[in-house]
């Protein structure tokens, strides 16, 4: 039975498109000042269109990895501090008459995005969990204020809330490219902020915000501890369940929420996630519920108390990734996978996504990788004909003091020690902007 479900699931959702955007090359001069300049260029070049051959840098010894990571992170912090910072948050008040001041971010190719930034409860030792709470598609002023009122009711303190207002009512989508760059800015700055727990970031939303948080949760799963769409229900090709392997997923929809088939799509998501959980008992934590007797208005209070118990694992030994195009854009990295040269896929073609299956066994010091291409509905499956990727490695994932075997599609293609150097630390820091994913080594695979 499990084998049958596995095949069925592969036919439904095990497909991931690879990046069509190249990473900015690391600087040839790795002095502190040149690294900061390189980082700033990377931060400002959202679309990362530059590419060149990466030079070798200074080697890093195993015993110096943690020290070198801290040095690189300090340079990353300096580069970002010179560019942008998060504003001060406002402590939440239970007084409904209290007026919460808003901040505003200027977006690229879009109207500005106002946002509330509030805390509930006292700061935990490891920092606040951060909920990115996006609203529905009514008049944006009233939806914005209603989302704030609901956030104050949720029993999830201590917590921090970033509540944005849709920039443009004529473009009522939270997953368009200008918004993508805003989320990536928020991730980047959150990782640099001592009062936020970098391993407890969550997307959530209601109605249009439910659709948005479901897509964004799949697109950015490697940054998140979980996602909680409500009164939504995306077709699964828009938010591939496979990407949720290592994070928590809550989906709450009313039994009578018939418009756009929200109830049926939520039911289908529950079936697929249940099957995935059967196959992978230690993964795909989910709580997908059809609330009886409810329509589009449901009980919203159950989502965050469940989500907040989960914590991100930034170094999972198993990675499933459908790199799907979102508003014409692909990710350039996911967990410890990076795309160096694009694959033969396009968001304008039928074959528009690629699937990565990556398994790492630290005890055996082996890595198994498979990659293939498919269409949005996972009907067709094609082989990769071009492209280059990197599997980034650190001591959390593999024993770097010994030889590492990497098998691509069952064939042994690498069997030696992994070289460690400063260039890769810089490169991975710029790619992910994540203190947990500054990798000293990598294996490059020509597909």
């Amino acid at each position: 039975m499990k084998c049958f479900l596995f095949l069925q699931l592969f036919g439904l959702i095990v497909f991931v498109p690879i990046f069509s955007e190249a990473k900015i090359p690391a600087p040839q001069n790795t002095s502190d000042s040149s690294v900061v300049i390189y980082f700033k260029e990377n931060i400002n070049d959202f679309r990362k269109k530059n590419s060149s051959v990466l030079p070798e840098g200074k080697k890093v010894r195993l015993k110096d990895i943690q020290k070198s990571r801290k040095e690189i992170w300090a340079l990353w912090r300096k580069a970002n501090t010179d560019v942008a910072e998060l504003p001060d948050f406002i402590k939440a008040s239970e007084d409904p008459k209290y007026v919460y001041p808003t901040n505003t971010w200027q977006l690229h190719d879009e109207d500005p995005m106002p946002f509330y930034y509030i805390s509930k409860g006292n700061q935990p030792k490891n920092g606040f969990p951060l909920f990115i709470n996006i609203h529905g598609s009514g008049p944006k002023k009233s939806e914005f204020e209603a989302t704030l009122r609901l956030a104050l009711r949720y029993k999830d303190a201590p917590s921090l809330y970033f509540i944005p207002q849709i920039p443009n009512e004529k473009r009522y989508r939270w997953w368009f490219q200008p918004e993508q760059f805003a989320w990536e800015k928020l991730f980047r700055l959150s990782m640099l902020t001592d009062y936020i727990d970098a391993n407890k970031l969550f997307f959530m939303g209601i109605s249009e915000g439910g659709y948005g948080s479901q897509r964004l949760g799949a697109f950015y799963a490697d940054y998140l501890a979980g996602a909680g769409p409500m009164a939504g229900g995306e077709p699964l090709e828009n938010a591939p369940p496979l990407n949720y392997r290592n994070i928590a997923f809550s989906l709450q929809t009313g039994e009578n929420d018939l418009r756009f088939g929200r109830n049926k799509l939520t039911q289908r998501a529950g079936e697929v996630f249940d099957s995935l959980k059967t196959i992978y008992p230690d993964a795909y934590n989910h709580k997908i519920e059809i609330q009886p007797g409810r329509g589009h208005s449901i009980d919203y209070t159950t989502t965050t108390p469940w989500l907040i118990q989960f914590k991100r694992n930034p170094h999972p030994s198993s990675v499933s990734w459908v790199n799907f195009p979102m508003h014409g854009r692909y990710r350039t990295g996911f967990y410890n996978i990076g795309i160096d040269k694009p694959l033969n896929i396009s968001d304008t073609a039928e074959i528009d996504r690629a699937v990565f299956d990556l398994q790492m066994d630290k005890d055996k010091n082996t890595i198994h990788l498979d990659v293939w291409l498919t269409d949005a509905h996972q009907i067709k499956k094609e082989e990769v004909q071009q492209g280059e990727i990197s599997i980034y490695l650190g001591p959390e994932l593999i024993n770097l003091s010994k030889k590492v075997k990497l098998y691509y599609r069952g064939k042994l293609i690498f069997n030696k020690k992994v070289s460690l150097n400063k260039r890769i630390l810089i490169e991975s820091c710029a790619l992910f902007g994540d203190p947990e994913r500054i990798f000293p080594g990598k294996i490059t695979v020509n597909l």
Side-chain angles (χ1 to χ4, degrees):
M1 182 62 177
K2 287 187 178 182
C3 182
F4 172 76
L5 286 170
F6 182 81
L7 292 173
Q8 287 292 102
L9 287 166
F10 263 49
L12 284 168
I13 49 174
V14 184
F15 304 101
V16 181
I18 297 176
F19 305 135
S20 61
E21 302 177 68
K23 301 189 294 292
I24 293 176
Q28 295 190 22
N29 179 357
T30 55
S31 66
D32 287 357
S33 60
S34 67
V35 172
V36 171
I37 292 171
Y38 163 69
F39 281 157
K40 286 182 179 179
E41 291 175 347
N42 185 279
I43 293 164
N44 291 325
D45 185 6
F46 292 98
R47 293 168 178 83
K48 298 178 176 61
K49 294 181 179 178
N50 299 324
S51 62
S52 68
V53 177
L54 299 176
E56 287 299 321
K58 182 180 178 181
K59 291 185 178 181
V60 175
R61 295 179 296 182
L62 278 170
K63 67 177 184 178
D64 294 331
I65 288 175
Q66 296 304 332
K67 177 184 175 182
S68 297
R69 282 172 163 171
K70 290 179 180 178
E71 292 171 351
I72 297 302
W73 188 249
L75 297 176
W76 176 253
R77 183 182 293 276
K78 176 174 174 54
N80 279 271
T81 301
D82 291 346
V83 173
E85 292 181 297
L86 279 171
D88 293 332
F89 59 81
I90 303 298
K91 291 186 177 181
S93 168
E94 297 301 325
D95 184 353
K97 297 179 181 179
Y98 184 83
V99 177
Y100 291 86
T102 58
N103 303 276
T104 300
W105 274 355
Q106 300 294 324
L107 302 189
H108 293 257
D109 304 321
E110 182 55 282
D111 294 341
M113 184 173 75
F115 60 92
Y116 294 111
Y117 192 47
I118 62 169
S119 68
K120 299 192 296 182
N122 297 321
Q123 179 181 329
K125 180 180 178 181
N126 294 328
F128 284 108
L130 174 64
F131 288 98
I132 307 168
N133 191 1
I134 53 182
H135 63 69
S137 60
K140 68 178 187 177
K141 184 178 185 297
S142 59
E143 290 285 345
F144 187 41
E145 294 170 352
T147 301
L148 172 63
R149 291 194 299 270
L150 284 169
L152 295 177
R153 290 174 48 199
Y154 300 148
K155 304 298 183 183
D156 52 36
S159 57
L160 191 66
Y161 271 78
F162 182 96
I163 304 172
Q165 183 184 63
I166 198 75
N168 189 330
E169 287 184 348
K170 295 179 181 179
R171 289 163 49 93
Y172 226 118
R173 296 291 184 270
W174 291 107
W175 43 268
F176 280 178
Q177 285 198 30
E179 287 74 22
Q180 290 177 35
F181 300 138
W183 309 137
E184 289 165 27
K185 175 182 177 180
L186 179 57
F187 294 150
R188 190 177 74 245
L189 298 181
S190 297
M191 298 288 176
L192 290 158
T193 305
D194 294 334
Y195 61 79
I196 294 175
D197 186 339
N199 290 320
K200 290 185 81 71
L201 308 182
F202 304 88
F203 260 115
M204 60 180 290
I206 297 170
S207 192
E208 186 62 47
Y211 294 128
S213 57
Q214 189 171 349
R215 288 199 189 207
L216 292 163
F219 200 65
Y220 291 117
D222 53 323
Y223 285 101
L224 304 175
M230 294 173 278
E234 277 279 5
L236 296 185
E237 62 266 23
N238 295 337
L242 212 67
N243 292 11
Y244 281 95
R245 180 169 189 156
N246 296 299
I247 72 171
F249 180 63
S250 170
L251 176 56
Q252 300 286 316
T253 304
E255 176 186 20
N256 300 320
D257 196 351
L258 309 178
R259 195 175 185 189
F260 307 119
R262 294 186 187 104
N263 55 350
K264 296 297 183 182
L265 289 166
T266 298
Q267 181 181 1
R268 179 60 184 146
E271 293 167 355
V272 171
F273 272 84
D274 286 348
S275 296
L276 285 166
K277 187 68 174 176
T278 299
I279 297 165
Y280 308 106
D282 296 329
Y284 295 104
N285 291 313
H286 65 281
K287 183 183 180 185
I288 300 176
E289 295 178 336
I290 302 291
Q291 295 190 9
R294 298 275 189 164
H296 195 47
S297 178
I298 62 172
D299 180 2
Y300 307 121
T301 64
T302 64
T303 296
T304 62
W306 183 78
L307 284 176
I308 204 167
Q309 66 183 304
F310 294 96
K311 194 177 182 73
R312 177 181 70 142
N313 174 11
H315 305 117
S317 59
S318 298
V319 175
S320 298
W321 180 29
V322 179
N323 188 10
F324 63 104
M326 199 161 70
H327 198 210
R329 182 170 178 256
Y330 295 100
R331 290 285 308 279
T332 54
F334 193 77
Y335 287 106
N336 63 319
I337 303 171
I339 306 300
D340 301 323
K341 297 179 182 178
L343 309 184
N344 51 302
I345 56 172
S346 169
D347 69 296
T348 60
E350 184 178 13
I351 300 298
D352 71 340
R353 56 195 63 198
V355 185
F356 293 80
D357 182 72
L358 178 65
Q359 308 294 324
M360 294 162 285
D361 189 325
K362 189 174 181 179
D363 292 334
K364 296 180 179 178
N365 241 32
T366 58
I367 301 170
H368 291 268
L369 172 68
D370 197 359
V371 187
W372 63 94
L373 312 181
T374 189
D375 63 296
H377 298 285
Q378 296 87 39
I379 296 172
K380 295 184 178 181
K381 180 177 178 180
E382 293 187 4
E383 293 187 4
V384 180
Q385 297 176 356
Q386 66 183 49
E388 180 181 283
I389 69 170
S390 289
I391 306 300
Y392 289 96
L393 298 170
E396 300 83 2
L397 293 168
I398 215 78
N399 187 338
L400 295 170
S401 67
K402 298 179 179 180
K403 288 183 178 181
V404 177
K405 291 183 178 180
L406 189 151
Y407 296 86
Y408 175 53
R409 306 192 69 183
K411 181 180 178 181
L412 180 64
I413 63 169
F414 185 93
N415 185 17
K416 59 183 177 180
K417 286 187 177 181
V418 176
S419 298
L420 313 177
N421 65 59
K422 185 176 180 181
R423 173 184 59 83
I424 301 173
L425 291 165
I426 296 167
E427 178 185 307
S428 57
C429 182
L431 176 59
F432 299 113
D434 185 344
E436 301 274 13
R437 292 187 285 170
I438 302 177
F439 297 103
K442 71 175 184 177
I443 300 174
T444 299
V445 182
N446 291 303
L447 302 173

